[in-house]
Amino acid sequence: MKTRLIIVLLISLTIVSLALIRISPPKEDAFTGLCVYSSPGFSTLYNGNQSVAIGRSLEVGRVYTAYGRLRKTSRGLWMDVSSLQVSPPNFPLESIEGGAYWTDRSPQLLTPERVYLASPINASKGELVLVKGLEYGKNFYPIEVHTRGLPASPKNGFPFVVEAWSCPLADTYQSGTGARSSKS
C-alpha cells in the first residue's frame, strides 16, 4: 500500500512539473544596439562590442532593443526576435568633438582627418559639431549631434567660410584672358 502511494505521488509530481515547465515561458534574451546594416531579409545591430543579426528589416542609424532567443551560428550571433522596439542607447557612445561637418560625395567630419559618416547630420557645411555615436566598419554612425557654430577664425585643416565680395576690376576683364570685356 505504501509503495503504491509513493508511486502515485511521484507520478503526480512529475506531471505537475512537466505542466509548469510548459506554462512558464522560456528565458528571453534582450539586446540593444544601433542598426548598422539593413536589407529586406535581415539587419545587424551593434552596441560597440558585439553585433547581432536579426531577421527583420530595420532603419539604419536607429537604436533598437530586440527581445527573443539569442544563439550562436557559424557566422556570428543571431537572434530569433519575438518583439522589437526603438529605444535609447544603453551602451557607451564614442564622441568626436570639434570636427567640422563637410559634404563632398559623402557626409564627413574634418578633425582635420576625414571621418566618414554613415548618414548626413543636421548641420551646415563647415559648422563645428560634437557628434556621439559608434564607429562600425569604415563609417561613423551618428546618434546625437550638437552644433557649435561656424569657426570664428581660420584653422589649418578645417574649412573656413569667407564671405563673397565683388571687385570692380573683375567686371572689366574677362576671366583668365586679361582682355577688356565689351561691357559699356
Side-chain angles (χ1 to χ4, degrees):
M1 184 79 166
K2 282 187 177 185
T3 311
R4 283 186 182 184
L5 181 61
I6 292 174
I7 292 174
V8 169
L9 284 175
L10 286 175
I11 292 173
S12 299
L13 282 173
T14 304
I15 292 172
V16 169
S17 297
L18 290 173
L20 287 176
I21 289 173
R22 287 186 181 181
I23 292 173
S24 64
K27 180 183 165 278
E28 191 170 61
D29 297 311
F31 183 84
T32 300
L34 172 68
C35 180
V36 293
Y37 175 80
S38 185
S39 69
F42 78 98
S43 297
T44 302
L45 298 179
Y46 179 65
N47 68 1
N49 292 319
Q50 62 184 3
S51 55
V52 173
I54 63 171
R56 302 232 180 131
S57 180
L58 303 175
E59 184 181 337
V60 173
R62 293 193 85 166
V63 178
Y64 296 90
T65 299
Y67 300 94
R69 195 180 105 220
L70 195 60
R71 57 188 170 96
K72 292 181 182 179
T73 68
S74 61
R75 293 194 283 173
L77 292 174
W78 178 270
M79 179 173 273
D80 298 318
V81 177
S82 61
S83 66
L84 186 74
Q85 65 187 34
V86 174
S87 63
N90 65 355
F91 45 84
L93 299 176
E94 301 167 32
S95 294
I96 299 176
E97 176 132 24
Y101 180 63
W102 198 253
T103 54
D104 180 33
R105 294 190 194 104
S106 65
Q108 51 196 281
L109 293 179
L110 304 176
T111 64
E113 294 84 25
R114 292 178 192 264
V115 176
Y116 291 96
L117 300 175
S119 61
I121 60 174
N122 189 15
S124 299
K125 195 171 184 179
E127 191 169 18
L128 298 175
V129 292
L130 163 65
V131 181
K132 294 182 180 183
L134 291 176
E135 187 174 355
Y136 184 82
K138 295 181 181 182
N139 289 322
F140 189 84
Y141 290 79
I143 295 175
E144 296 176 19
V145 177
H146 305 278
T147 57
R148 303 287 192 231
L150 294 170
S153 61
K155 185 176 176 183
N156 191 19
F158 287 84
F160 185 70
V161 176
V162 178
E163 289 187 34
W165 55 278
S166 65
C167 175
L169 294 176
D171 291 338
T172 60
Y173 289 93
Q174 290 180 355
S175 169
T177 64
R180 286 189 178 265
S181 68
S182 60
K183 292 182 182 178
S184 298

